[in-house]
Every structure is written in structure tokens, then in C-alpha cells.
Amino acid sequence: MEGDFKRKTYDELAKFVDKFGARPSGSEILEDSIDYMIQLTQEEDITDITTEKVEVPHWVRGKEVATMLKPREKNIALLGLGRSATTPEEGITAEVVVVSSFEKLDAAKYEDIKGKIVLYDPIFTTYGETVVYRSQGATKAAEKGAVAALVRSIAPFSINSPHTGSQTYGENVTQIPTAAITLEDADLIRRLYDRGETIELNIKMFSTFDIGMSRNTIIDLKGIEKPEKLVIVSGHIDSWDVGQGAMDDGGGLFVSWAAPVILKRLNLRPRRTIRSIFWTAEELGLVGAYAYEKNHKDELSNINFIMESDEGTFAPLGLAVAGTQEAKCIIAEILKLFESINASTLVEEDSPGSDIAVIIKNGVPGASLHNANERYFWFHHTEGDTMNVEDPDELDLCTAFWTAVSYIIADISVDIPR
Amino acid sequence: MEGDFKRKTYDELAKFVDKFGARPSGSEILEDSIDYMIQLTQEEDITDITTEKVEVPHWVRGKEVATMLKPREKNIALLGLGRSATTPEEGITAEVVVVSSFEKLDAAKYEDIKGKIVLYDPIFTTYGETVVYRSQGATKAAEKGAVAALVRSIAPFSINSPHTGSQTYGENVTQIPTAAITLEDADLIRRLYDRGETIELNIKMFSTFDIGMSRNTIIDLKGIEKPEKLVIVSGHIDSWDVGQGAMDDGGGLFVSWAAPVILKRLNLRPRRTIRSIFWTAEELGLVGAYAYEKNHKDELSNINFIMESDEGTFAPLGLAVAGTQEAKCIIAEILKLFESINASTLVEEDSPGSDIAVIIKNGVPGASLHNANERYFWFHHTEGDTMNVEDPDELDLCTAFWTAVSYIIADISVDIPR
């Protein structure tokens, strides 16, 4: 990429995340960052910007300290999971039981788990396969009488880095405190446990929870022929409360911001409307996406194609596409245009993206950015999600790809079939 | 490697580092770990074990917190450097000046540095090239009137991981507090600084310093023909106070422990004595090595060859050798025997190893373990220096290589020439 926009995605992303840092759901800083993005867009002479209010969870992490007391004293790095309950002031002190799977937990006797801290230590295979221990671990452990649940961070690599993330308490179970610990500490505890040592931890975790207000942001570059038909590009503007949210999902936010901006600058108006959406409160349960689905129920049939980038903006490789075979055929033809930048791969994926999966399950065709994100889960939901993960040239490629793909789909003669 | 010793280096190392964790110079835990290693060796029916007392620095890290106050509030992860001075109770609050080199600092006016916190942010090239900003940064900044010195961690990669390390205050300069911050935070501060923002930090760092006692440990497997001639294998038993010291230098310690143990088990006695040394207090200035040099001044001529592993025990590749061309020729011939495990490379190196460099500068030929340690500095001196870095098979290869090389050198007909 040459010209005015060269390096601009990286530079604007850096200015944004450096200014605001993490942008957790329900926080004032998230709302300020939304205002900033609106202003940044207005400066490009784009005026068709609306926001839609959304009630969002507002979970605020307080002090968190874990200490191994037996067999020796050691600080244990941890990050509470979203909406985790708090501990008493003095913390929870209990023995640890280590299980590698829910099957192992199920097989244990109630009295062997009761009053204990359960540590799940599944070895990372894929995110989809192992994330259940983070999202449902506390509930399953509580059903067995555990007093707290820890999970080996859902990550393939670590430099003693804990990874937070969402979790949901089941109904009618005690809401026990729950946190992620590092691969290193989980594996240490596993080795001690397998040697027959008694492991005792003290866990102190404090937080507050209430409901806040936020906004989805919608930017339209109106189509000249079928303005009611939409091709949506999107990313989420909220982030976890650690790191800068540069990768998750600052990159996706900015390539989706760039698409209408570049087309506007080039004075290119496709047949259909290009809509850029900055979802809010993705991290605490796709809250913005569900609100959009509800607000726009009647217009879902007008969505020609919906795209999201929320798995990194490393070198683009193509798209992960949901839709009919005919739809995929058309997208595959379009992707052939990107052979020169090695971004022609079409991956078939029933439920691509995160927010857009909510819309796609209504039968809307869509895609997420398929990119060279082998290291994505090294940084995901950690203090390491910063600009250091991002590369100016890769972001330029993503921006060019995202803009061109959305333009082509918005401008081709046929609608993407359902 | 098959047989009794398969996986044993890894398993014994794990038991050791899991039991003791970090083993900082001057601590009781280090002395306990030395006792443990002596007992572990005695259990192998090796009785020729001596220890030599060494006065060592005993720097104990206390609470350390850094907060960026301007342009916005943000926690800054940091690790104080060895022997760092403490701050007042309320910390030091000052503006930050960012410099990428000593030249840039020299070029700045005294009044522009006075009262400020200096952040050095050289981009990692090699350890040797950039570590001077850690080891001498505080002194140079203090000479310009700075109130504290920070350094971008000396590492090529990070997940927001600060790297501690040694530093030395020059004479007649104010001893200002000094710490390493992460690549991510250093780069954030650099970007803000380059945008003209005023950056203010509060740094609180507490520690204590006194002199403790420790021991070098010396294990001899006496030679049958020239017992006074020594082939030394070694690693250091102390570690930094973060992580487990599994990589730095638990691996080197255990492959050097394994050499005499395996030869004893195999009932192999070479012509010369194989001496295994566990150096103490390497991290705070090669203190054990200097004490050994002093105590054994008269016997240095008896050291036929001295080896150390202190740059990782990843897959062995060969040796980094110091000595005459003739010495290197002999070592190169020996290394040819290790072609089947790809460990035949001889790297020429004037000052290999860390502790042994003290002995080698007296004209003693020696070598450090050359291994596939591309990621060594990812974990070096961090909380991530744990068993997760170590691999059982690679450790087996290192042990086999280390043992065989030392045996061959101890048993060949000629002495290694000087």
C-alpha cells in the first residue's frame, strides 16, 4: 500500500490505544473512546453516523492476589474471570484438587471436592476445545461443592502470563470466585499434586459489578443504487481490562473504520451501502451484537453480507465464510483477485467471527478475516495485548483487503444468495 | 538416550526447582538447595564432595510498584535491578526523558535531565550490545542528575514481561533507584514522548542489602592416571529471585551434576579427574567464580579444560571454545563424534560461559555449551524462567553430550595445549 493511507491504520490505532488503554464494558473510558472514534470519522467528512444505546455489564476488577501456602510459599499470578464473585476480605484458604477434564471432576466424589479449590489444567489444543474450562469451570466445580475454581490459562504459550476471559455462572449454583492462572503455575501445581504433595492456596479477589450504558456505533457510506442493502464490516471497540486491546480488537476496529473512510477519500460509492459497526461489550457476552439483532430484526434480510475482524489483523490470508455453497462460490471468485497478496483462501466456517455470529445464525451470509494469527492466543486477554503485537505493513494489507472486499461485494450486480 | 537416566535430568531438575523455587544469592533457600544437591550426589555413592565458603551479596527485593500518572494513569510492570537503591516511602514522582543510547544522554543538557527519570529504550540487537543500558544505565543517568533510571528490558520478545538483572553503581555517583520495565510499556512511553506528551511516573521500590554466606560445591570423580589434572564441568546453582531458575541455570547445574553421576554409575574412570562445580552467586557478579580463582590460584595450571552451561540446555549443537588453535583442533575432532545428534559445531569464542570466563582469562582453555537457544532471552531473568522452558528429550541430549565430551577430554592421551 502506498499513498496517504500508508501506515495510517497502525498510527491511528496506536494513537487510539495509547490514549485510552483498555476499554472495558460499562466504563467511562469506553464511552470516551467511542466519542473519539465518532470525531475521527467526522473529520473525514463522513456524517452518516449513529449510535444505539445498549445496557451493558460493568464488572470492575479490584485487588487480586493468590499465594501458594503449602508445600512452600509462592506468589501465584492470576487474573479473575469476568463477573467473578469476590472472596471474603481474608481470602479463601483451601487445598487444591487438580483435574484435567470435566470427566475427571465428575468421577471424583463430592466429599473429595467439597471445600476445595478446583484447578482445571487441560493442555491447550484449540481455543474452542479448551475454553469451556474457563467459561463453565466455576459452575461445574461449585456443583461439586468447591469453594473456588482456577483454570490453566487458555493459551498455547506463556511467559508467566495469565489470560482472563468471560465465564457464566449457571442458575441455582453458588457463585464461587474464579480466575485464570499461568501455564507455568498450573503445571507446577500439577507436578506437586502428582508427587502427592498437599497444595494449599490463599486467594483474594475483589471486584464490583453493576449495569452500565454503552453504544453500538454505526457508520454508513450510502449505496447509490440499493442504499437499503447493507454490506457490513465490523470489529468491537470494547476490550478486556488488561493490556491495550490493540489486537483484541483494536486492529479489527480500525480496519473496519478504514473501509468507509478510504472509499470516501477515493470518492468511490458502491451500489449497496457499506456499513461499519463498532460493536460494544463483546467481551462480556456479545452484548452489543444481541442488541443490534433485536433493534434491527426487521432489516436482517437487507444484510447482503456481514464481516468482522476479531481474530487478529496479522497478514491477511482470505476469509472464513458462512453461507450457502452458491454464496461461497461467489466469495471464492472475489478472493481470486487477492492472489498477489496471498489473501485468496476461503475457509468454510459455520459460525465465523464473534459478534457477527449472532446475525449469521439468522441465515445472513458473512465472513471473518482469515489471517496469519498463529500467535493470537499468546497475547489474547493478557497484559501483552498491546501495539507490540501489531505490524504497520500487515495492518496496511488488512485495511486494503478489507476495504476492497467490502467494496466489491457491495458493488457486484447480484446479491449474495441465501 | 535410553536406560536408567532417560528423562532423569528433567525429572530431577523439576523436583529441585519445584521444591526450592528461586535461589537468590545470600538466601537461606540457596543454602538449603546446596545441601539438597550434596545429598542427591551422596545418594549416588559419590563421596568426594567439598564446599568452599564465599561471602556473597544478599539483595532482597521488597514491594515494587510503578504508576504512570500523566498523560493517563496506568500501572507499569517493573522489576528492580540487582542492588538497586530504594525510593522514599512515597516513591519518586518525576517526568520521564526517553533516550535510546548513551550518546543521546550525553548530548542532552544537564538541566534537561536533572530531577527526571531517564528511560533507556534501546531495541534489543544482541544481549552483549544492549545489556550495558541495564548494567551502567543508573550510573550514567545519575551523573546527569537523574533521580531514577529505567531500562527497556534486555529481551527480543515479551508478553509484558519485565527482565531483572545485575547493575553496578559507579563510584562517587548518587545511587539512584533503577529497574527494568517491559518492552510494551517502554514502547508506549516512547510513542507518547515522541508525540510531545509529558509523561510523569511514580516509582516505589523497596529492598534490603547485606552480606551473606554461601558455598561453591565441588564434586570430584578422581582420575586414575593423572588425578591432579582437572576437566571441569559446571553451572551455577543460584538464580534471580523471579521464576524458578530452571533455565538460568538449573539446566546447566543438572547436566553438570549428571556427568560424574553417570560415569560413576557406568563405572567409567578417565585418566584425569572430572570435577563438577556448582558456582554460587553468579547473578550478582560471578562472586563464586572469583572466590574459586583466588582459592585455587596455584592449581589453575592443572585445569586441562573447563566447561560451563549457562545459556540454556535446549538441543545441544556443539561447543563455544576459547583456547589456542591447536586446542580448538583437538576439540573439533572430538566434536565430530557427535554428528549423529547434530552437536558437532565448534564456535570460536574468546570468553565463553559466565563463571568460567573468570578462569579462562588466566589462559585456561574452555568452552560453553552451544545449543539451540534462540528463545533464551525471552525468559531470561523473568517470572517465565520455569520448567515450561525445559524439554525432557533436549535435556537428555545435553546430559549425554556433556558427559561424553568431558569424559573424552579427561581420557585422551594428550593434555589440551595452551
Side-chain angles (χ1 to χ4, degrees):
Chain A
M1 185 188 269
E2 294 300 329
D4 281 2
F5 232 82
K6 187 167 172 61
R7 233 193 117 92
K8 191 171 174 71
T9 313
Y10 180 92
D11 288 341
E12 289 296 339
L13 174 59
K15 275 193 259 177
F16 176 76
V17 298
D18 290 350
K19 183 175 178 65
F20 297 105
R23 305 168 300 282
S25 166
S27 69
E28 231 178 88
I29 210 94
L30 172 59
E31 297 315 295
D32 291 346
S33 79
I34 292 171
D35 291 339
Y36 175 99
M37 288 305 294
I38 291 170
Q39 201 190 320
L40 193 69
T41 311
Q42 285 169 337
E43 285 166 10
E44 298 286 336
D45 287 330
I46 294 178
T47 52
D48 207 341
I49 307 171
T50 54
T51 59
E52 299 184 347
K53 284 195 178 172
V54 188
E55 272 196 358
V56 297
H58 183 219
W59 180 79
V60 182
R61 186 187 308 278
K63 190 177 169 180
E64 296 177 337
V65 187
T67 312
M68 183 166 78
L69 303 173
K70 291 179 189 168
R72 65 176 167 91
E73 204 171 307
K74 181 190 183 299
N75 178 57
I76 302 288
L78 90 168
L79 274 178
L81 302 182
R83 307 192 198 210
S84 171
T86 64
T87 63
E89 199 61 40
E90 71 279 13
I92 288 172
T93 299
E95 209 181 304
V96 180
V97 176
V98 187
V99 295
S100 57
S101 68
F102 289 138
E103 290 68 38
K104 291 277 164 71
L105 181 73
D106 290 343
K109 293 186 194 133
Y110 183 85
E111 58 265 34
D112 289 340
I113 304 296
K114 186 167 184 287
K116 305 275 172 66
I117 296 167
V118 168
L119 166 61
Y120 298 99
D121 73 337
I123 303 301
F124 183 90
T125 49
T126 64
Y127 188 68
E129 248 179 53
T130 44
V131 73
V132 288
Y133 293 97
R134 189 195 76 206
S135 57
Q136 300 166 34
T139 292
K140 302 245 186 195
E143 284 168 356
K144 283 271 190 174
V147 291
L150 299 176
V151 62
R152 185 182 192 267
S153 286
I154 307 304
F157 179 80
S158 172
I159 306 181
N160 210 48
S161 355
H163 295 237
T164 188
S166 65
Q167 64 90 33
T168 318
Y169 290 118
E171 287 181 17
N172 306 320
V173 299
T174 310
Q175 302 199 347
I176 59 175
T178 183
I181 65 173
T182 68
L183 274 54
E184 289 89 337
D185 282 336
D187 295 349
L188 166 66
I189 291 171
R190 161 60 76 179
R191 289 192 302 273
L192 294 170
Y193 188 76
D194 285 349
R195 287 181 203 130
E197 303 262 15
T198 297
I199 300 136
E200 191 179 87
L201 297 188
N202 173 268
I203 303 175
K204 293 191 181 80
M205 290 173 57
F206 308 105
S207 57
T208 60
F209 183 79
D210 59 6
I211 299 295
M213 289 304 295
S214 187
R215 292 163 286 167
N216 284 326
T217 307
I218 299 169
I219 297 163
D220 280 354
L221 188 76
K222 280 286 189 308
I224 46 173
E225 215 170 81
K226 305 173 178 177
E228 76 288 359
K229 296 272 184 187
L230 303 172
V231 171
I232 297 176
V233 289
S234 65
H236 65 85
I237 189 165
D238 70 303
S239 75
W240 274 102
D241 58 342
V242 290
Q244 293 188 312
M247 179 188 80
D248 183 11
D249 181 28
L253 171 70
F254 269 81
V255 299
S256 298
W257 168 79
V261 166
I262 289 175
L263 295 175
K264 171 79 182 174
R265 285 187 177 200
L266 295 175
N267 217 5
L268 283 173
R269 293 272 297 278
R271 289 179 181 154
R272 298 171 192 78
T273 292
I274 289 194
R275 170 167 291 183
S276 178
I277 301 180
F278 310 153
W279 310 103
T280 194
E282 187 271 346
E283 295 294 4
L284 283 149
L286 314 175
V287 182
Y290 282 114
Y292 185 90
E293 182 195 28
K294 201 175 150 198
N295 292 347
H296 297 264
K297 201 86 195 172
D298 300 338
E299 311 152 34
L300 295 184
S301 59
N302 276 333
I303 302 177
N304 191 37
F305 202 67
I306 186 164
M307 291 157 63
E308 179 171 30
S309 166
D310 187 22
E311 289 100 38
T313 45
F314 302 93
L317 299 174
L319 291 174
V321 183
T324 62
Q325 278 313 114
E326 211 186 333
K328 284 174 187 160
C329 261
I330 295 172
I331 301 299
E333 283 303 310
I334 293 171
L335 287 177
K336 283 184 185 163
L337 300 170
F338 298 93
E339 270 168 12
S340 67
I341 60 164
N342 292 316
S344 294
T345 303
L346 186 150
V347 178
E348 304 203 17
E349 168 76 57
D350 289 341
S351 186
S354 44
D355 300 277
I356 62 168
V358 170
I359 309 300
I360 285 173
K361 72 170 166 30
N362 292 286
V364 177
S368 65
L369 177 66
H370 175 47
N371 68 110
N373 62 356
E374 296 81 4
R375 288 189 178 178
Y376 183 74
F377 289 110
W378 293 24
F379 308 104
H380 184 245
H381 298 183
T382 73
E383 289 287 358
D385 180 352
T386 66
M387 282 311 290
N388 291 53
V389 180
E390 302 296 315
D391 177 84
D393 295 329
E394 290 177 347
L395 272 166
D396 277 351
L397 284 172
C398 286
T399 288
F401 176 74
W402 210 232
T403 305
V405 166
S406 60
Y407 177 79
I408 294 165
I409 299 176
D411 202 53
I412 47 173
S413 53
V414 294
D415 283 351
I416 302 296
R418 298 202 174 184
Chain B
M1 185 189 268
E2 294 299 330
D4 281 2
F5 232 82
K6 187 167 172 60
R7 232 193 119 91
K8 190 170 173 73
T9 312
Y10 179 92
D11 288 341
E12 290 295 338
L13 174 59
K15 275 193 259 178
F16 176 77
V17 298
D18 290 351
K19 183 175 178 67
F20 297 105
R23 305 168 299 282
S25 166
S27 70
E28 230 177 88
I29 210 93
L30 172 59
E31 297 315 295
D32 291 346
S33 79
I34 292 171
D35 291 339
Y36 175 99
M37 288 305 294
I38 291 170
Q39 202 190 320
L40 193 70
T41 312
Q42 284 169 337
E43 285 167 10
E44 298 286 337
D45 287 330
I46 294 177
T47 52
D48 207 341
I49 307 171
T50 54
T51 59
E52 299 184 347
K53 284 195 177 170
V54 188
E55 272 196 358
V56 297
H58 183 218
W59 180 79
V60 182
R61 186 186 309 278
K63 190 177 168 180
E64 295 177 337
V65 187
T67 312
M68 183 166 79
L69 303 173
K70 290 179 190 168
R72 65 177 166 91
E73 203 170 308
K74 181 190 184 298
N75 178 58
I76 302 288
L78 89 168
L79 274 178
L81 302 181
R83 307 193 197 210
S84 171
T86 64
T87 62
E89 200 61 40
E90 71 279 12
I92 288 171
T93 299
E95 210 181 304
V96 180
V97 176
V98 188
V99 295
S100 58
S101 68
F102 288 137
E103 290 68 37
K104 291 277 164 72
L105 182 73
D106 290 343
K109 291 186 197 134
Y110 183 85
E111 58 265 33
D112 289 340
I113 304 295
K114 186 167 184 287
K116 306 275 173 65
I117 296 166
V118 168
L119 166 61
Y120 298 98
D121 74 337
I123 302 302
F124 183 89
T125 49
T126 64
Y127 188 69
E129 248 179 53
T130 44
V131 73
V132 289
Y133 293 96
R134 189 195 76 206
S135 57
Q136 299 165 35
T139 292
K140 302 245 186 197
E143 284 168 356
K144 282 271 191 175
V147 291
L150 299 176
V151 62
R152 185 181 192 267
S153 286
I154 307 304
F157 179 81
S158 173
I159 306 180
N160 210 47
S161 356
H163 295 238
T164 188
S166 65
Q167 65 90 34
T168 317
Y169 290 118
E171 286 181 17
N172 305 320
V173 300
T174 310
Q175 302 199 347
I176 59 175
T178 183
I181 65 173
T182 68
L183 273 55
E184 289 89 337
D185 282 336
D187 295 349
L188 166 66
I189 291 171
R190 160 61 75 179
R191 288 192 302 273
L192 294 170
Y193 187 77
D194 284 349
R195 287 181 202 130
E197 303 263 16
T198 297
I199 301 136
E200 190 178 88
L201 297 187
N202 173 269
I203 303 175
K204 294 191 181 80
M205 291 173 57
F206 308 105
S207 58
T208 59
F209 184 79
D210 59 5
I211 299 296
M213 288 303 296
S214 187
R215 292 163 286 167
N216 284 326
T217 307
I218 299 169
I219 297 163
D220 280 354
L221 188 76
K222 280 286 188 309
I224 46 173
E225 216 170 79
K226 304 172 179 179
E228 76 288 0
K229 295 273 184 185
L230 304 172
V231 171
I232 296 175
V233 289
S234 65
H236 65 85
I237 189 165
D238 70 302
S239 75
W240 274 102
D241 58 342
V242 290
Q244 293 189 311
M247 179 188 80
D248 184 10
D249 182 29
L253 171 70
F254 270 81
V255 299
S256 298
W257 168 79
V261 166
I262 289 175
L263 295 175
K264 170 79 182 174
R265 285 186 178 201
L266 295 174
N267 217 5
L268 283 173
R269 293 272 297 278
R271 289 179 181 154
R272 298 172 193 77
T273 292
I274 289 194
R275 170 168 291 183
S276 178
I277 301 180
F278 310 153
W279 309 103
T280 194
E282 187 271 344
E283 294 294 4
L284 283 150
L286 314 175
V287 183
Y290 282 115
Y292 185 91
E293 182 195 27
K294 201 175 150 197
N295 293 345
H296 297 264
K297 201 87 195 172
D298 300 339
E299 310 153 35
L300 296 184
S301 59
N302 277 333
I303 302 177
N304 190 37
F305 202 68
I306 186 163
M307 291 157 63
E308 178 171 29
S309 166
D310 187 23
E311 289 101 37
T313 44
F314 302 92
L317 299 174
L319 292 174
V321 183
T324 62
Q325 279 313 114
E326 211 186 331
K328 284 173 187 161
C329 261
I330 295 172
I331 301 298
E333 282 303 310
I334 293 171
L335 287 176
K336 283 184 185 163
L337 300 170
F338 298 93
E339 270 168 12
S340 66
I341 60 164
N342 292 316
S344 295
T345 304
L346 186 151
V347 178
E348 304 203 17
E349 168 75 58
D350 289 341
S351 186
S354 45
D355 300 278
I356 62 168
V358 171
I359 310 300
I360 286 172
K361 72 170 166 32
N362 291 285
V364 177
S368 65
L369 177 66
H370 175 47
N371 68 109
N373 62 357
E374 296 81 4
R375 288 189 178 179
Y376 183 75
F377 289 110
W378 292 25
F379 308 104
H380 184 244
H381 298 182
T382 73
E383 289 287 358
D385 180 352
T386 67
M387 282 311 290
N388 290 54
V389 181
E390 302 295 315
D391 177 84
D393 295 329
E394 291 178 346
L395 272 166
D396 277 352
L397 285 172
C398 286
T399 288
F401 176 74
W402 210 232
T403 304
V405 167
S406 60
Y407 176 79
I408 295 165
I409 299 176
D411 201 54
I412 46 173
S413 53
V414 294
D415 283 350
I416 302 295
R418 297 202 175 185

